[in-house]
Amino acid sequence: MGPIILVSCCLGLLTFILYFIFPSETMHLIFCWVGLIITCIYVIYDVYLITEKHGLSYDDYIIGALLIYSDLISLFIYILSIIGERN
């Protein structure tokens, strides 16, 4: 799962740099879609980390809840950015 996250973060960084070099509404939409995909990958990874026996321990339920919570907040922010572009 680590290489997928690394590649997705590099792709996000590349789109972030391209967004600042060529600012446009289309690049903003591409940046939001890439961010949405990266956030979905992080949600999958954090759920895997919580459910894995060697990941978070039973006493780390607060950390696991915060991981999922922060992922879902950023997921909804990207969704709202994409929906807001349609107006």
Side-chain angles (χ1 to χ4, degrees), residues 23-76:
S24 67
E25 291 182 22
T26 307
M27 266 317 279
H28 178 72
L29 193 61
I30 291 171
F31 177 71
C32 288
W33 277 105
V34 170
L36 183 70
I37 292 168
I38 291 171
T39 305
C40 288
I41 291 171
Y42 271 113
V43 168
I44 293 169
Y45 178 72
D46 287 341
V47 169
Y48 172 76
L49 186 67
I50 291 170
T51 59
E52 184 67 25
K53 293 184 189 270
H54 301 292
L56 296 176
S57 68
Y58 181 74
D59 295 331
D60 293 334
Y61 59 90
I62 295 175
I63 294 171
L66 286 175
L67 286 171
I68 297 294
Y69 179 75
S70 64
D71 290 342
L72 291 179
I73 292 296
S74 59
L75 184 75
F76 287 127

